[in-house]
Amino acid sequence: MALQVTDEARELEDIELSLLLTGIATRYGFDFRNYAQASLRRRVRHAVEQEGVSNITQLQERILRDPACMERFIANLSVHVTTMFRDPQFYCVFRARVVPMLRTYPFIRVWHAGCSTGEEVYSLAILLEEEGLYERCRLYATDISDRLLRRAATGVFPLTDMREHTLNYQRAGGTRDFSSYYHAHEGHVIFAESLRRNMVFSQHNLVSDSAFNEFQVILCRNVMIYFDATLQRRVHTLFYESLCRFGVLGVGRKETIDLIAQRNCYREIGDNARLFRKER
Amino acid sequence: MVDKLIAIGVSLGGLAALPTVIGGLSRDLAAACVIVQHRPADDDSELEQVLSQLCGRPIREPDHHEAISPNVIYLAPSSYHLLVDDRRFALSTEGRVLFARPSIDVFFASASECFESGVIAVCMTGASRDGALGAAQVARRGGTVLVHDPKTAESPIAPRAALELVPQARVLRLEQIATKLNELCQRGAT
């Protein structure tokens, strides 16, 4: 683990980090300069280790010259190690308070912004299926990482995680046999094709891209913790513009919307589930 | 603005040991205090409330981006790594480190990068080495490391691991830790 940082080394790291981000923005058009510093620094140090280079300058050289390395770097920045039905309480409140509202719509669009490896998308698909709503839904799952999107679209997950997923599913109010949603094969599970039918996976960059549709539900959970305040404001404006009236925004358990401009346009629903309904 | 941070790393034995330490802390601490206690994923045990009751003092889990305030006792939330970013708390959902999330090492290291010599790391009872590397980082940047005496800690593994990497750390019995912290963090102390 790259913990050893002295004053001079830190100054040098600051310079190299700045050069790396400028280089990437110029060459590839991905601008990470408004990402939160502390977590970005950790991820870049991790990338240095993973690529087997000695410092950030060497990482930069490889990234600028090798698109495959850049793809790995983006995936590294987009990975959240998470489980299905993470924060089961969130799904309980979603079932109790959001689902009844969704029943009134003939067609439902959900946006999973920053979907990473897709656990949340499959979790919601299962919940909507159990509530008899899935047929009317389209789940748009977006991320900046093409690599992670491709993986999420396959519906393949490691078998070893299934026990934890199952426990969370039950705590989230699931009453069926969780294994009925997938079949196991050589250390992996593959989720049912019927669950993937109404999912659309596509690349979208929250830093630079604009609204692409109007949604009844937008979930962006534990994604904006990696953005600085400026970028968070931009993304919240994008979400506000993409939500229909009475649409619902869901963020992560320890994220707040207290500091955003549109704070007074939302009303929190449920208890401590970080679900907010757009009132105006 | 606060420039001292008490960072307490604890796992097995924490619920029994923490009340002695937290209960003994001054009510006018010129430092923020953060407890990183190993917890299960998506922990719904209401540990915040339980600890507040046991310690006789409000303890809260910070939200992402919350400012770090003196004389407040914070508890690292479950299923995230807790970081320090420009004198505010930040969260991460990276994978477990030494099987732990929140990781003590990750918090100690992050705190030392921001607060440098202002960090006082306390390595308490625990069943893994989590905290040792972080404590070494704290020491390297001029901070103070206190270690719960392995001879009396419920689980000596974590304190011993910390002492291995930071042999110059102060070894203290449980009852002495709060007194030492108060001494180091009283207003006007250097």
Side-chain angles (χ1 to χ4, degrees):
Chain A
M1 200 161 95
L3 288 178
Q4 330 228 355
V5 186
T6 63
D7 270 328
E8 194 191 303
R10 172 58 182 255
E11 254 180 58
L12 193 52
E13 189 188 64
D14 284 347
I15 296 170
E16 289 185 304
L17 185 58
S18 173
L19 290 171
L20 172 72
L21 299 182
T22 304
I24 288 175
T26 310
R27 177 121 174 89
Y28 291 106
F30 284 97
D31 191 349
F32 298 114
R33 288 173 293 196
N34 285 109
Y35 272 46
Q37 276 293 305
S39 47
L40 178 66
R41 213 174 273 274
R42 282 185 58 79
R43 301 244 174 172
V44 169
R45 288 175 190 158
H46 180 71
V48 167
E49 262 178 54
Q50 289 291 104
E51 294 292 326
V53 294
S54 309
N55 56 53
I56 296 177
T57 299
Q58 288 184 7
L59 175 69
Q60 177 184 309
E61 184 185 343
R62 194 178 284 193
I63 284 181
L64 293 182
R65 285 178 158 73
D66 180 1
C69 178
M70 175 60 181
E71 210 189 84
R72 285 194 295 275
F73 183 72
I74 293 184
N76 163 30
L77 283 184
S78 303
V79 162
H80 318 302
V81 176
T82 185
T83 57
M84 293 191 65
F85 296 99
R86 181 185 158 116
D87 298 324
Q89 171 66 1
F90 172 87
Y91 292 91
C92 291
V93 176
F94 193 97
R95 235 184 255 265
R97 304 291 297 273
V98 181
V99 161
M101 181 267 278
L102 293 180
R103 282 194 207 289
T104 66
Y105 291 97
F107 192 70
I108 299 158
R109 275 189 220 92
V110 178
W111 181 13
H112 294 264
C115 68
S116 187
T117 38
E119 282 85 349
E120 183 187 85
V121 192
Y122 287 88
S123 301
L124 197 70
I126 287 171
L127 185 154
L128 292 168
E129 215 292 299
E130 291 181 355
E131 296 296 326
L133 287 173
Y134 190 71
E135 284 312 304
R136 303 185 233 164
C137 291
R138 189 70 28 99
L139 274 51
Y140 293 84
T142 68
D143 201 275
I144 54 165
S145 169
D146 224 6
R147 167 183 282 225
L148 294 182
L149 284 167
R150 282 197 303 269
R151 197 203 305 182
T154 62
V156 175
F157 291 89
L159 181 60
T160 44
D161 296 337
M162 279 304 127
R163 193 167 167 270
E164 195 177 358
H165 294 336
T166 306
L167 286 169
N168 281 354
Y169 162 78
Q170 288 159 356
R171 287 165 66 191
T175 51
R176 301 193 194 165
D177 176 3
F178 191 61
S179 62
S180 65
Y181 290 110
Y182 60 83
H183 70 269
H185 179 68
E186 287 181 6
H188 287 95
V189 306
I190 308 170
F191 277 88
E193 166 62 41
S194 59
L195 279 179
R196 284 180 275 146
R197 207 172 43 227
N198 292 347
M199 291 178 184
V200 178
F201 292 91
S202 62
Q203 205 180 18
H204 181 279
N205 190 342
L206 290 170
V207 172
S208 56
D209 297 345
S210 40
F212 62 98
N213 217 323
E214 202 186 52
F215 299 92
Q216 282 74 31
V217 177
I218 298 179
L219 300 185
C220 187
R221 303 176 65 226
N222 301 316
V223 172
M224 289 187 282
I225 54 179
Y226 297 105
F227 299 165
D228 71 9
T230 304
L231 184 48
Q232 284 183 24
R233 278 194 292 271
R234 181 201 196 263
V235 174
H236 268 293
T237 299
L238 176 60
F239 288 162
Y240 178 78
E241 287 166 1
S242 305
L243 262 181
C244 66
R245 194 160 174 226
F246 304 125
V248 166
L249 170 67
V251 297
R253 199 177 90 245
K254 299 310 286 180
E255 295 180 275
T256 71
I257 67 166
D258 290 341
L259 298 174
I260 65 166
Q262 302 89 359
R263 172 69 189 96
N264 296 321
C265 303
Y266 291 103
R267 191 210 300 219
E268 184 158 13
I269 56 183
D271 234 345
N272 230 4
R274 306 292 159 119
L275 276 161
F276 302 91
R277 185 171 62 216
K278 177 176 166 178
E279 302 280 310
R280 56 178 159 273
Chain B
M1 196 179 72
V2 62
D3 54 18
K4 279 208 170 96
L5 181 79
I6 298 169
I8 301 178
V10 55
S11 72
L12 186 64
L15 280 184
L18 280 170
T20 307
V21 177
I22 305 297
L25 285 178
S26 158
R27 298 269 159 168
D28 185 27
L29 216 52
C33 179
V34 181
I35 301 167
V36 182
Q37 159 84 60
H38 283 177
R39 315 171 60 170
D42 290 331
D43 180 19
D44 56 4
S45 67
E46 300 185 326
L47 186 59
E48 244 177 313
Q49 284 92 301
V50 170
L51 271 180
S52 297
Q53 284 270 19
L54 289 174
C55 299
R57 184 164 180 165
I59 294 176
R60 45 177 281 106
E61 288 180 3
D63 283 323
H64 174 71
H65 214 244
E66 188 170 328
I68 300 175
S69 302
N71 206 32
V72 178
I73 319 272
Y74 301 96
L75 173 69
S78 68
S79 301
Y80 292 94
H81 288 299
L82 187 64
L83 306 173
V84 174
D85 196 342
D86 196 20
R87 312 251 150 178
R88 289 177 177 275
F89 288 108
L91 297 173
S92 160
T93 50
E94 290 163 62
R96 295 187 188 109
V97 178
L98 281 180
F99 307 109
R101 188 168 73 170
S103 153
I104 299 168
D105 276 336
V106 170
F107 184 70
F108 280 1
S110 185
S112 89
E113 279 195 46
C114 185
F115 286 86
E116 301 191 321
S117 61
V119 179
I120 303 158
V122 186
C123 301
M124 290 186 56
T125 172
S128 80
R129 303 187 59 88
D130 188 18
L133 277 173
Q137 170 75 349
V138 168
R140 243 188 323 272
R141 295 203 72 110
T144 307
V145 178
L146 307 177
V147 175
H148 185 177
D149 188 349
K151 290 199 284 296
T152 55
E154 186 173 325
S155 174
I157 296 172
R160 279 207 194 110
L163 280 171
E164 242 177 79
L165 297 190
V166 193
Q168 74 274 24
R170 271 304 279 276
V171 177
L172 296 168
R173 284 192 328 271
L174 188 64
E175 314 76 55
Q176 299 170 308
I177 295 175
T179 314
K180 190 67 187 165
L181 288 173
N182 289 337
E183 186 192 316
L184 292 171
C185 296
Q186 66 186 234
R187 296 187 183 282
T190 48

